[in-house]
Amino acid sequence: DPPTLEHDCNRYWMPLQDYETGHVFIINDKLITDYKAGDVFVYNVAQDNHGAANIGFTPRLVLQVTEFNPT
């Protein structure tokens, strides 16, 4: 993740392809494996445990947008 921990911000994570074996996306200890291209997942960067990885055989393509909340 880019350095955003000093800000309150939401992250919008959208896969650009359907889930494939080895494409890892986790929010708050839940492994998400049933996503489709165009689904949108929203989480708070500072408050929600999250992580992503690719341990598969194909590229994992996603769009990620960060929204900084007013303080």
Side-chain angles (χ1 to χ4, degrees):
D1 286 343
T4 57
L5 294 178
E6 67 274 5
H7 302 285
D8 182 29
C9 57
N10 292 326
R11 174 89 25 94
Y12 298 84
W13 188 91
M14 183 175 76
L16 300 178
Q17 63 197 112
D18 293 348
Y19 171 80
E20 295 185 33
T21 300
H23 292 184
V24 178
F25 180 54
I26 300 170
I27 301 175
N28 291 324
D29 298 327
K30 181 178 181 200
L31 175 64
I32 310 295
T33 59
D34 57 349
Y35 59 77
K36 301 288 185 199
D39 288 350
V40 177
F41 298 87
V42 182
Y43 58 93
N44 184 282
V45 173
Q47 297 171 5
D48 298 322
N49 291 325
H50 62 280
N54 184 2
I55 56 173
F57 295 104
T58 60
R60 184 180 65 89
L61 305 173
V62 302
L63 173 65
Q64 183 172 277
V65 176
T66 302
E67 170 191 41
F68 292 94
N69 299 323
T71 55

